[in-house]
Structure formats: C-alpha cells, structure tokens
Amino acid sequence: MTRYCLFDLDGTLTDPETGIVASLRHALSAVGVPDAEHERLRSMIGPPLPEGLLMLGVPPERVDDAVRAYRERYTDGMYENEVIAGIPAVLEALVAGGWTLAVATSKPAVYAEKILVHFGLDGFFTYVAGATLDGSRRHKADVIRHALDVLGAPPEAAVMIGDRREDVAGAAACRVRSIAVTWGFGEAAEFADPGLIAVVDTPERLLDVLTQTAIPEMDTPGGS
C-alpha cells in the first residue's frame, strides 16, 4: 500500500513568525484596530486568517479589508521565514523510503507553493493542498480532504503532521491519523485525539515515529 504524509506548512516545515506577525500588525493598522501583544499575534499563526482577525478585534464588516491589507504586506512577509532545522533531511528520508508527500495548509496554496520553491522544498512534494483565495476552502479538514482526493489516497494510508489543534482535529474529521510536533505554535494541551499517533519534539523523532510506528501499520500482508 502506498503511504502518504500530509505536512502542515507554518510551524511544521518552516518558522514564519516574523513575516506573519508583521503582516498581522499591518492588517490591524489598516482597519484602525489597536495593535496586539506579540504573543497574541503569534497565537494566530496556523488557523484560517479571517477567524484570526476576528479574534484580534477586527469588526466582521472590515475582515475583507483586513485580509487585503494582510496580503499586501505578506507579499514580502512570506519570505521572512526559515526552514526548521532537520526538516529537509526528514523529507529526503521519507521520499527515499517510498512515502508520497503532500502539503496540507490553511494558507492559500498560491503562497505555500511560492514559499516551498523559495526554500527549495518543492521537489519533495507531489501536491500542495491549501486554502483558496476566495475562502471557499480554508478549514483544515477541507484541505486534508482535498489533498486525499487529488492524491487518490485512502484515509487509512495517510498521516497528517502538524503543530496546531486544527491539524489534529482536521485529520480526525477525515479519518486520518496524525502526529503533532511541538516546535511550532501549538501547546501540548491542544493535542488530544484517539487518532493521534504521537507528540514529537524534534524532526529526528518525527522520522523515528513514522518509521517505527506508521510504516508497519501501513504494510499489507505479503507486501508493502
């Protein structure tokens, strides 16, 4: 059976904090909403942008304006970012081990694709599933479901890797198991679901868990 890994982007593959926080500040200023503390802005990294802006105090009728302002600043901000140390080696080992890799992010796919190309990660991934700019697909479960459909992947053959509750919950909604990582923007208390394989604190440990736990479960009798 082909094995699939779906990776979240922000906080899992890369650390986008600088660019996203600056873009959120720009969005708030553009619609006249008071600035927020850094930690509160940081906590918005991961979930869909419109929901995050509402939580930061943007009035519902100004969310579209704030999103436009955010995207203006994010044109540069997406590159104020860095790859998590150890991630390229994990991706290389998984591909060499026969896994099919895809990205499943709540970020619009057009940005995710540019970021992966910029950092030389695009070659590892068969497909990049993300949100749509018009908001018709933005929640993690919808993104995961879209990725599975495009890949032709049965849920039981896939594992979702992410750093936020939305990754774990979105995977569970699609009957996909998950592994949570602690180097991103989530808190340990966010990670609780029967489909959660493990919570890992380093990319090396992630690779160990995928190799030792996920692969045997994915094997079929008489083959792999």
Side-chain angles (χ1 to χ4, degrees), residues 32-182:
V33 172
D35 199 2
E37 294 182 356
H38 181 90
E39 282 305 309
R40 191 173 180 210
L41 295 172
R42 186 181 186 276
S43 72
M44 296 298 122
I45 300 174
L49 178 60
E51 283 85 338
L53 291 169
L54 286 169
M55 292 174 66
L56 290 169
V58 175
E61 67 273 13
R62 298 302 307 277
V63 167
D64 288 347
D65 295 330
V67 168
R68 280 193 292 271
Y70 175 94
R71 289 175 178 167
E72 289 171 0
R73 175 62 177 80
Y74 195 64
T75 300
D76 295 322
M78 74 176 88
Y79 303 122
E80 296 170 328
N81 197 347
E82 61 184 59
V83 177
I84 302 295
I87 282 295
V90 170
L91 301 177
E92 184 175 357
L94 290 174
V95 171
W99 291 80
T100 294
L101 309 185
V103 169
T105 175
S106 295
K107 181 187 299 299
V110 292
Y111 295 134
E113 290 166 355
K114 291 178 180 179
I115 291 166
L116 293 169
V117 169
H118 179 79
F119 289 109
L121 299 178
D122 55 307
F124 293 112
F125 297 102
T126 298
Y127 186 65
V128 179
T132 53
L133 289 173
D134 65 5
S136 59
R137 182 175 65 244
R138 68 175 185 270
H139 296 293
K140 185 53 65 89
D142 296 330
V143 172
I144 293 171
R145 196 170 292 112
H146 172 67
L148 296 176
D149 288 345
V150 171
L151 295 169
E156 63 272 15
V159 180
M160 177 72 208
I161 315 299
D163 69 311
R164 297 301 306 264
R165 179 185 62 82
E166 289 81 5
D167 299 308
V168 174
C174 298
R175 296 182 295 111
V176 171
R177 295 175 304 154
S178 59
I179 297 174
V181 305
T182 63

